[in-house]
């Protein structure tokens, strides 16, 4: 009886040691990512707040904050997306940085085919600012798209990207 209890305690202790040593996969940032993007930004992602369709233009995003025309049929082969932002004073010429974060692999990627950032244009489809782009996702799955305007986190969009 004592031997069984001792064996159970040893097994429990080993499990606790293994669990304590097991690290959760952490986020590592690509070397070329803009320096204002921080690992802590990814901790604020609410994966339950999925992007939704709103308005008459087929925009999918967070209503009255940000959204995309083109996200309704996402593809791994590349496609055109039109970004729309609200609540943005004097947006013309500001820099929009777009960072993709894959939920399962915890990997960070540029999804713009031209790099990390582009310039915002003026009003379009009721939004305060817009910007056309070409995007490509490296793999399917659930993605958080972090939007930065002038080096500040502006919004996070959650999309399921499947071919």
């Amino acid at each position: 009886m004592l031997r069984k209890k001792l064996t159970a305690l040893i097994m429990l202790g080993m499990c606790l040691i293994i669990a304590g040593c097991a690290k959760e996969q952490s986020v590592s940032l690509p070397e070329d990512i803009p320096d204002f993007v921080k690992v802590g930004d990814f901790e604020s992602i609410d994966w339950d707040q999925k992007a939704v369709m709103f308005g008459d233009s087929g925009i999918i995003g967070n209503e009255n904050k940000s959204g995309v025309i083109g996200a309704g049929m996402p593809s791994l082969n590349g496609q055109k997306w039109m970004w729309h932002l609200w609540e943005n004073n004097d947006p013309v010429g500001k820099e929009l940085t777009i960072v993709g974060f894959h939920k399962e692999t915890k990997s960070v990627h540029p999804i713009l085919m031209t790099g990390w950032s582009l310039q915002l244009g003026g009003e379009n489809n009721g939004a305060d600012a817009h910007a056309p782009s070409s995007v490509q996702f490296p793999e399917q799955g659930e993605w958080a798209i972090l939007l930065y305007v002038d080096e500040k986190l502006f919004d996070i969009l959650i999309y399921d990207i499947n071919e």
Side-chain angles (χ1 to χ4, degrees):
M1 182 74 150
L2 183 61
R3 185 179 181 114
K4 283 185 180 181
K5 286 183 180 180
L6 185 57
T7 302
L9 283 173
I10 290 171
M11 294 298 282
L12 178 63
M14 287 175 41
C15 288
L16 290 172
I17 289 170
I18 291 170
C21 292
K23 279 184 152 180
E24 185 176 311
Q25 185 179 0
S26 64
V27 176
S28 72
L29 300 177
E31 286 184 23
D32 66 338
I33 197 165
D35 61 2
F36 54 84
V37 177
K38 304 297 180 205
V39 171
D41 296 342
F42 301 93
E43 295 169 359
S44 64
I45 296 170
D46 179 357
W47 291 100
D48 293 326
Q49 187 175 346
K50 308 274 192 232
V52 297
M53 186 174 293
F54 61 91
D56 297 332
S57 302
I59 297 173
I60 299 176
N62 299 326
E63 191 166 8
N64 297 317
K65 187 70 174 177
S66 69
V68 176
I69 293 177
M73 296 178 58
S75 167
L76 298 175
N77 298 323
Q79 68 187 107
K80 297 206 180 294
W81 279 18
M82 178 77 77
W83 303 89
H84 294 78
L85 280 65
W86 288 261
E87 299 180 8
N88 197 324
N89 296 330
D90 194 28
V92 178
K94 287 185 179 178
E95 188 171 77
L96 173 63
T97 301
I98 302 166
V99 177
F101 180 68
H102 190 260
K103 182 179 182 181
E104 184 178 322
T105 63
K106 297 191 182 323
S107 57
V108 177
H109 301 273
I111 61 163
L112 295 174
M113 294 174 87
T114 57
W116 294 102
S117 302
L118 46 83
Q119 296 295 309
L120 285 169
E123 296 178 11
N124 192 357
N125 296 317
D128 300 324
H130 80 287
S133 70
S134 294
V135 299
Q136 186 167 18
F137 290 84
E139 60 186 303
Q140 67 182 10
E142 200 167 3
W143 286 83
I145 310 301
L146 287 76
L147 305 177
Y148 296 82
V149 176
D150 274 354
E151 302 184 0
K152 293 179 184 81
L153 184 59
F154 179 75
D155 200 13
I156 300 174
L157 298 164
I158 307 295
Y159 295 115
D160 285 318
I161 305 298
N162 300 302
E163 190 156 20

